[in-house]
Amino acid sequence: MVKEQLEVLKALDIAKTQLYHFTAIVIAGMGFFTDAYDLFCISLVTKLLGRIYYTVPGSAKPGSLPPNVAAAVNGVALVGTLAGQLFFGWLGDRMGRKRVYGLTLLIMVTCSVASGLSLGNQPKAVMATLCFFRFWLGFGIGGDYPLSATIMSEYANKKTRGAFIAAVFAMQGTGILAGGIVAIIVSSIFDKQFPAPAYQVDAKASLPVEADYIWRIIVIFGAIPAALTYYWRMKMPETARYTALVEKNAERAAADMSKVLNKEIKAETEMVERMTTDESNSFGLFSMKFLKRHGLPLLGTTSTWFLLDIAFYSQNLFQKDIFTAIGWIPPSQTMSASEEVFKIARAQTLIALCSTVPGYWFTVAFIDIMGRWAIQMMGFFFMTVFMFAIAFPYNYWSKKENRIGFVIMYALTFFFANFGPNSTTFIVPAEIFPARLRSTCHGISAAAGKAGAIIGAFGFLYAAQNQDPKKTDHGYPAGIGVKNSLIVLGVINFIGMLFTFLVPEPNGKSLEELSGENDGDDGEKEYPQQGNNRSVPV
């Protein structure tokens, strides 16, 4: 049972919502704005890249990226993100959250710009350098996941901690929306300045040489919000939980938080020493003690994030292909290059505006009322329902008169992904693990998610191809079709529901209660479970 708590941590837990909370949300959130923009803006310009670099003169259709190139362009940033989550998650526990936080931002700014300035004008050169810099861009983005979540959880009070972490993550939705808006504006300007006919009218004229600037400007724009927040990241003090519980520096923790909270806080050196040297607070990640206390929760956070991201990234990266399949985006040959970018961006912006963004903010509003577990279970359930509702009568939805209904149903899957597991899988790992392992465990959970995203990005690219080899995109083998692919995603969402039973409910508890770090904890950690008053020992 909990017997004692450091005064500095108690002060953070009971602090009223004030300016420093919102400052932390903005500073951490702008990183996530950039993360989402950089990861998903590539889906807006992949068709344009195919037109510019892979159009065959005399072909009836504009060029498209070859399968291996498309997979690399879409997936390489995710591979980098996975690596960054593991590396920076570990580094955040070794060196401190603040020291590493600025480094991730510098990598993101540098590689956003470098991606848009990809060298050469030959396909191999451009794609190779684009993929190289997008890998390192992803590496920096990966570091933002565990660090932003951990910093926000360690700054927040226990009453509204879920809403604060969710607000940081909600900036992902704003980043996705911003990507679409930027693409709409850029493509509209180029279409007005360099008007071009449809490809089927005049193939060469449909792709002005200036179109090469469109994708570069869209990609480079992601560096701006990250650069604007670098100074403020460097001004943030280290979190008191890291300073006290990991660095064992009670004086600095008290001094830093006295400034943040505008109140005098006593340094409790003896208590810090006692807590941090206690046997129950000194076990490592690869120990039986960790396995006994945190093994099942870690399995819960990794498995649900893995399953969620297979579906979520498949939907996000390839919704343009789904909209094309149902005819919501016209065939490529009926548009010019800039017009195609505009219509893809318009479709994705509409989905983001009507379902993705509201879903995130519904989570912010309700997470500390409903709890994490209930929202995650509800989200997976409705994602399953709506995915099956789209997939099984897919032939009905693909008819022209029913396409608006399809888009509404498809949008609802996004809404419940974000008012559901896409938010909660980010929040829970930042709450339930010890301070000395918190960033590492969040990084492991997030990396499991990105492994799912890679499967989704690579797998759906091939799986969604038409079952008739004559109707597949150029260079692709026959797949199982969009309908069967959506059924598979529905099954994955259902399995995510089942693994949610392994996820504990952290609502209303201090981080030290959840991790068992309080002085006097008996070492047998109990997690409050979903929807009732019983506890399950872990």
Side-chain angles (χ1 to χ4, degrees):
M1 296 293 294
V2 175
K3 294 182 180 179
E4 294 182 87
Q5 187 178 25
L6 288 171
E7 183 182 334
V8 65
L9 304 187
K10 186 177 180 180
L12 286 167
D13 279 341
I14 64 175
K16 293 182 179 179
T17 300
Q18 50 194 281
L19 180 61
Y20 84 87
H21 288 122
F22 294 106
T23 302
I25 289 171
V26 171
I27 293 171
M30 286 309 293
F32 259 88
F33 175 97
T34 305
D35 296 349
Y37 183 98
D38 289 333
L39 281 178
F40 294 112
C41 72
I42 197 67
S43 67
L44 299 166
V45 298
T46 49
K47 291 213 175 232
L48 176 61
L49 290 170
R51 279 182 181 251
I52 295 172
Y53 298 109
Y54 292 95
T55 295
V56 177
S59 174
K61 293 182 180 181
S64 61
L65 295 179
N68 61 328
V69 176
V73 169
N74 283 298
V76 71
L78 300 178
V79 176
T81 303
L82 187 156
Q85 286 163 338
L86 291 173
F87 177 73
F88 286 112
W90 169 78
L91 204 61
D93 285 332
R94 293 296 298 269
M95 294 181 59
R97 290 55 159 134
K98 178 190 173 180
R99 290 181 187 176
V100 184
Y101 210 26
L103 177 59
T104 62
L105 212 59
L106 286 176
I107 293 172
M108 289 157 58
V109 170
T110 303
C111 293
S112 289
V113 174
S115 295
L117 299 177
S118 294
L119 306 174
N121 57 9
Q122 295 300 311
K124 285 186 178 180
V126 174
M127 293 302 140
T129 52
L130 176 62
C131 289
F132 175 81
F133 288 118
R134 278 190 64 78
F135 172 85
W136 290 109
L137 172 64
F139 191 69
I141 289 171
D144 236 38
Y145 276 73
L147 294 171
S148 291
T150 299
I151 286 171
M152 198 65 245
S153 72
E154 293 182 346
Y155 265 111
N157 62 58
K158 65 181 180 181
K159 184 178 179 181
T160 56
R161 185 178 62 237
F164 290 154
I165 306 173
V168 170
F169 195 61
M171 293 301 290
Q172 186 179 78
T174 311
I176 295 171
L177 179 64
I181 292 172
V182 169
I184 287 172
I185 293 171
V186 173
S187 60
S188 297
I189 291 172
F190 273 82
D191 196 41
K192 186 175 182 179
Q193 293 297 317
F194 309 101
Y199 181 87
Q200 62 187 12
V201 174
D202 188 334
K204 186 175 181 179
S206 73
L207 184 66
V209 292
E210 294 83 4
D212 190 55
Y213 292 109
I214 295 176
W215 73 269
R216 296 179 185 273
I217 293 171
I218 292 171
V219 169
I220 289 174
F221 186 86
I224 296 174
L228 293 176
T229 55
Y230 179 77
Y231 171 78
W232 297 107
R233 281 200 179 188
M234 294 297 93
K235 293 284 286 183
M236 289 180 75
E238 182 59 87
T239 70
R241 286 181 160 93
Y242 183 84
T243 304
L245 300 177
V246 183
E247 288 189 331
K248 306 178 185 180
N249 191 334
E251 289 83 2
R252 187 157 68 86
D256 286 345
M257 292 307 106
S258 293
K259 293 177 183 177
V260 169
L261 297 172
N262 293 315
K263 62 180 289 187
E264 190 64 33
I265 298 174
K266 181 178 67 175
E268 299 169 290
T269 305
E270 290 184 9
M271 188 173 173
V272 166
E273 183 68 22
R274 190 165 66 250
M275 289 177 66
T276 54
T277 56
D278 188 273
E279 184 181 352
S280 65
N281 286 333
S282 57
F283 56 85
L285 180 66
F286 301 104
S287 66
M288 289 302 297
K289 191 84 171 180
F290 178 89
L291 183 63
K292 181 180 179 182
R293 187 182 289 191
H294 301 292
L296 282 179
L298 184 60
L299 176 60
T301 59
T302 53
S303 60
T304 52
W305 206 336
F306 171 78
L307 294 163
L308 176 276
D309 271 10
I310 293 176
F312 185 74
Y313 277 80
S314 296
Q315 290 172 247
N316 260 302
L317 288 173
F318 301 108
Q319 59 181 284
K320 66 184 184 304
D321 300 308
I322 292 172
F323 290 147
T324 299
I326 65 163
W328 210 44
I329 296 174
S332 294
Q333 62 268 28
T334 65
M335 298 179 284
S336 67
S338 57
E339 185 183 3
E340 184 173 41
V341 173
F342 174 85
K343 291 191 174 178
I344 291 171
R346 184 181 63 181
Q348 295 194 192
T349 301
L350 183 62
I351 290 293
L353 190 62
C354 296
S355 64
T356 304
V357 173
Y360 284 110
W361 290 102
F362 264 70
T363 301
V364 174
F366 291 104
I367 192 164
D368 291 312
I369 300 171
M370 294 175 61
R372 289 72 159 148
W373 190 91
I375 288 178
Q376 182 161 312
M377 181 62 77
M378 176 194 69
F380 268 129
F381 173 78
F382 282 110
M383 287 172 70
T384 304
V385 168
F386 287 115
M387 196 63 76
F388 284 153
I390 292 170
F392 287 111
Y394 181 74
N395 293 334
Y396 170 83
W397 294 119
S398 62
K399 294 177 181 177
K400 188 173 182 179
E401 62 271 21
N402 301 323
R403 287 170 184 167
I404 297 300
F406 176 94
V407 173
I408 292 172
M409 298 283 279
Y410 192 66
L412 283 169
T413 65
F414 277 102
F415 176 80
F416 282 106
N418 296 307
F419 184 31
N422 191 44
S423 296
T424 55
T425 53
F426 175 81
I427 295 166
V428 174
E431 299 180 295
I432 63 175
F433 300 108
R436 67 188 183 281
L437 300 171
R438 185 170 292 133
S439 180
T440 300
C441 289
H442 193 285
I444 291 170
S445 301
K450 282 300 167 285
I454 292 166
I455 291 173
F458 285 82
F460 194 83
L461 189 66
Y462 288 86
Q465 293 297 317
N466 199 291
Q467 292 175 292
D468 184 350
K470 297 179 181 178
K471 297 181 180 179
T472 62
D473 291 339
H474 178 70
Y476 287 84
I480 60 175
V482 173
K483 175 179 178 176
N484 291 328
S485 297
L486 293 174
I487 292 173
V488 170
L489 295 183
V491 172
I492 289 169
N493 290 330
F494 177 76
I495 297 172
M497 282 178 57
L498 301 181
F499 276 94
T500 297
F501 283 100
L502 295 175
V503 178
E505 176 55 76
N507 199 21
K509 301 288 183 180
S510 76
L511 298 180
E512 288 67 49
E513 287 178 88
L514 290 162
S515 63
E517 290 170 287
N518 283 65
D519 188 38
D521 189 277
D522 62 7
E524 292 299 317
K525 185 72 206 85
E526 292 189 346
Y527 285 102
Q529 281 294 316
Q530 62 283 354
N532 55 37
N533 295 320
R534 65 187 175 86
S535 294
V536 177
V538 176

